[in-house]
Every structure is written in C-alpha cells, then in structure tokens.
Amino acid sequence: MSAEKTAITPTRAQDFPEWYQQVIKAADLAENSETRGCMVIKPWGYGIWELIQQQLDRRFKATGHQNAYFPLLIPLSYLEKEAEHAEGFATECAVVTHHRLEAVKDPVTGKTKMIPAGELAEPYVIRPTSETIIGAAFARWIESYRDLPLLINQWANVMRWEMRPRLFLRTAEFLWQEGHTAHETMEEAIVETKLIHGQYEEFLRDHLAIPVVPGKKTENERFPGADMTFTVEAMVQDKKAIQAGTSHYLGQNFSKAQNISFTGRDGTVQHAHTTSWGVSTRLIGTLIMAHSDDDGLVLPPRVATQQIVILPITPKEDTKKPVLDACQALAETLRHQLYQGESLRVHVDTRDLSGGVKKWDWIKKGVPIRIEIGPRDIETRKVCVQRRDQPVSAKEFADKEEFIQQAKDILGEIHDSLLARATEFRDANIAPCSNLEAFHAHWATENPGWLYTPWAGTSEQEETLSKQHKITIRCLPIPEASLPAELDAVGHECILTGNITPVRAIWGRSY
C-alpha cells in the first residue's frame, strides 16, 4: 500500500528539522533574509506575533508594569561594568565602530564603493539584551525608596550573532519583550520574578495550548549575572526541549555595578534588587513544533490571525452573488460574537481560485475553523464545518443559526483538544530514572525524550554528563509543577552520588 499523501514533505517522521522549515514555507510565515541569520516575518506570521504581544501586554499592564523604549546601541563601557554578564554574551555581540560611510570610486572599474569612516571614540554594541542601558536609566530615575518598585517593560528587537540560524528558533535578530524591574528588598524582587514566571506558564497553557514544566535553572544554566533563573520548558514533537520563557532575579549584581541606589526608610543608601524577564518570537517556533502536523500549521484559536475562514462554493455564475452575500452576512454576524473577550476574527476568501486550492491553503495556514457555503447550503440553511484539530477529511453539516451560537464553544474545544494532545505527548515522553546505568542507556538514541531524576551533583559533574550526552538539565521543577504521578517512583537517591536529595532534575536535548 502506498504511503498516505500529505501536504508537507518530508513528514515529521522522515525529517523533523526539514519538515519544520517546510511548514513555515507552506503557511507563508517567514523567509530567510539577504542579511545572514536574519528573517523576514511575513504578514501571517507577524499577525501571530501581534496577537501574542497584545495578549501578553494586557497581562503585564494588569500587574502594574509600564512600557518604555531604550536605545538599540549600548556603549561598550556599559557592558564592561558587568563583566560576568557581558562575558556571557561576548561571542554573540555585533559591534558598531564607525559613524559614517565615504563614497570611493575604484579607478580601475569605475565602480563606487562605500568605505566605513569616522571611527567612533567608543564602540557601540547592538543590544543583545538591555540590562546595562536600562540599569543606567534606573540609576538616574531612582533616588528614594518611594520611587520603588519601578516596573518597566520594553517591546523591541535584539541581536545575537547566531552561527546556526533557524527561522523563529534562532536568528541573529529577533523580536521580544524584556521586563526590567527594581525593588526595595530581595523578598519583593523574588515575588516579582515568580509572578512573571507564573504568567508565562499560564500564557503558554491558556493562549498557546502548550503545557510547560516550570522550574529553576541550575547554576550552570542561569542567565549571565543572575542569582536565580526561572524557566518554562516546552516539549515539542521530536521530544526535544525549548526554553519558552525565563524570569531572572538579578540580586544586587547589576545595581552595584551601575549604582542603582536609593535612600532607604532608615536614611541609609542602599542598592536596589533587580529582575529581568522575557519571551520572544521563539514562541512561534515552539507553537509550530508543538502542534503542527504533516498537512501544515495548526494554530491555537487565541493566536490565530483568522479564527474562522469562510469559503464560498460557487460552481455557477448565476449563484455566485447570492453565495458571496450569504458568506459576508455570516461573517458579519460572527464578528459580533466574543471568544475569550474578543470579537471573532473571520475572513471570507473571495479569491478567484478553485475551492480545492483555497481549502488547502487555509489548512496549511492552520486556521482553526473552515466553513464552506454553496447554493444548496443557502436553501437548507446549513454550513459545512471543518476543524483543524481533526483529520482534514472530517466535516460536519450544522444548522447555520446553531453554528453562530456555538462558534465560540467550538474554538474552546479546539484549544482544549490541542492542549490535551500536547500534554499527553509530553507526559508519555518524560521517563523516571533512578540509576546511572539506565541514565547512560537512555541517551543512546537521537531523540529519546526527557529524563526525570533525583539530583545532588555538583556543577562540574552536571557539566560532565551534559557534554557526554549532549544534554542539559532543562530545569529543577518547582513544587507546583503539574507532572505525571508515576514520576514519583524515582525515589530520593541521586543517580550520580547516591546521596539522599529532595531535588529533582529534568534532563533533555534542546533547541
């Protein structure tokens, strides 16, 4: 029997990395730019990012954060003030050394070349992250404990010179938000760090239908210069991990380096406790790898650029106008319905293309619900409903009025089914491990899934195991993390040292 034909080749099973690239191409999300390592985010992909941005932004503002914007160029001396932080990004930094170009004509070819000129007295680094330059602003803005807490967020682009770029997951330039806050006490700063960590977990679950494991990073895996890093780790369909968002307690490391100080309640000068936290367009890559199938993108409804697409079926010219009118009327009615507090996003595809071409175009773009309306459907007051979380051949004929009332509930069902499917897959691919022999054996295959182990090893021992198997400790799950009950069978003895420990570690290969 011949293999079933799919819209995307190769399939996930045949070549997962290439499948990922082909899903992006088929869904028209993004493409590689002429600038090495950078991408052009196309309208369908940028629409997803806009929705992520809008929905997260509302969450941040509801907890008292305000948006601001800071320079793209950071003086090199600012990075030198925080050596540990700068060293962590040093090999990824792009540096600006000149402030103008001069036109020089080649005497042989006659062609004009643009030559950098006007060397800067101090080079600038294109921001890899903004702790240092935002810290300089905080030092100017904060004088007294009355100025605290200072809760700032920035939506921006950053640049990290990526040697092995991959669309959305790793590009030299990418879009993100970075929160930066300053607090009077360590306790308040840690509360802030955990608050945002929890918001990231909820956002991925409730908006992207992605279950994550929330936890702390080990010392080896912390953000450069941080005292504490919290992460949300997602498993995608090749069983690798993606760090989907991080929240850092920076202690007083940056405030001492940059003199972010204030007069305390007792009249003494003290240094603020600071945090930083962020998610990026990597979320789109995570979403693609978590939900999509061999027919293309699958979008959770809350971040779908269009949630419902209506396809007019017009086999004859004399019925074309009534069908188009019926489709536009249905779309307008649906747009008055609310899902998760927002009007439904509905599009009528009136392009002069065959029905089959349009259908597959929207399948590959991942639209949650497709509706087909033809001349007979107008007479029977029915609509043909197709859901992206179900096989592409599946369809149901529903009474039009009933569908209008149920549309928001169907979108909710699609979200829930995607979340349940991703959770079941993740839980089936996290294995408990209680001894070193089983630990070594597990990593003999390319994509074996995650291991959950007791852990009491040193940073050096962690690094040795990581290099040996090309893995990392993805996180030390927090007590509140929702994990399969069978993982409790691992016991309490560290797989390496044999020492009794309450600490559990999740190990995995990652992007």
Side-chain angles (χ1 to χ4, degrees), residues 425-447:
F425 179 84
R426 181 200 66 178
D427 291 353
N429 289 289
I430 307 177
C433 180
S434 300
N435 65 80
L436 197 57
E437 183 180 358
F439 182 90
H440 288 309
H442 179 81
W443 305 110
T445 57
E446 185 178 356
N447 295 322

Side-chain angles (χ1 to χ4, degrees), residues 367-370 385-392 394-396 409-411 413-415 417:
V367 169
I369 298 175
R370 302 185 311 281
V385 182
Q386 298 170 294
R387 293 169 43 159
R388 191 62 183 89
D389 64 324
Q390 295 178 349
V392 294
K395 60 176 65 176
E396 177 184 344
D409 297 325
I410 296 172
L411 291 171
E413 290 172 9
I414 292 172
H415 174 95
S417 74

Side-chain angles (χ1 to χ4, degrees), residues 94-143:
V95 185
V96 177
T97 57
H98 294 74
H99 65 78
R100 70 174 184 270
L101 296 172
E102 290 184 354
V104 177
K105 185 167 287 189
D106 189 304
V108 177
T109 65
K111 292 182 178 180
T112 299
K113 293 186 177 181
M114 304 303 291
I115 306 299
E119 186 172 353
L120 294 169
E122 178 181 0
Y124 289 97
V125 173
I126 299 176
R127 61 174 166 234
T129 180
S130 298
E131 276 75 10
T132 55
I133 199 159
I134 292 179
F138 280 15
R140 297 191 299 271
W141 298 350
I142 297 169
E143 295 181 356

Side-chain angles (χ1 to χ4, degrees), residues 1-6 11 14:
M1 183 180 295
S2 61
E4 182 180 347
K5 185 174 175 60
T6 59
T11 64
Q14 291 168 339

Side-chain angles (χ1 to χ4, degrees), residues 35 75 111 116-117 198 248 497 501:
T35 304
K111 292 182 178 180
H248 318 286
T497 66
T501 176

Side-chain angles (χ1 to χ4, degrees), residues 185-330:
T185 67
M186 176 179 69
E187 291 76 17
E188 288 178 7
I190 291 176
V191 167
E192 164 77 10
T193 307
K194 291 182 177 180
L195 168 70
I196 299 299
H197 184 229
Q199 287 213 345
Y200 287 158
E201 179 189 7
E202 290 175 7
F203 181 79
L204 271 99
R205 181 190 67 222
D206 297 343
H207 294 248
L208 305 185
I210 297 174
V212 293
V213 177
K216 287 176 66 175
K217 288 290 191 182
T218 63
E219 184 178 351
N220 287 5
E221 298 296 320
R222 281 181 204 153
F223 179 71
D227 281 0
M228 193 183 299
T229 289
F230 290 89
T231 181
V232 286
E233 297 289 324
M235 179 185 286
V236 292
Q237 293 180 73
D238 65 350
K239 305 176 189 176
K240 288 185 179 179
I242 295 184
Q243 178 179 286
T246 49
S247 182
H248 318 286
Y249 167 57
L250 304 176
Q252 295 176 309
N253 300 326
F254 286 85
S255 61
K256 287 179 178 177
Q258 299 173 295
N259 196 29
I260 307 173
S261 59
F262 63 94
T263 302
R265 297 172 190 272
D266 59 0
T268 63
V269 176
Q270 303 170 29
H271 286 98
H273 293 260
T274 64
T275 80
S276 69
W277 29 273
V279 296
S280 74
T281 39
R282 168 176 277 222
L283 286 179
I284 298 177
T286 307
L287 181 156
I288 295 166
M289 287 189 165
H291 296 310
S292 300
D293 60 23
D294 295 335
D295 287 316
L297 184 65
V298 176
L299 284 174
R302 294 187 78 169
V303 294
T305 311
Q306 298 292 347
Q307 294 164 323
I308 301 172
V309 167
I310 301 174
L311 304 177
I313 307 300
T314 55
K316 296 180 180 179
E317 190 63 31
D318 62 344
T319 58
K320 185 173 182 178
K321 187 178 186 305
V323 169
L324 290 176
D325 289 346
C327 290
Q328 295 291 0
L330 175 60

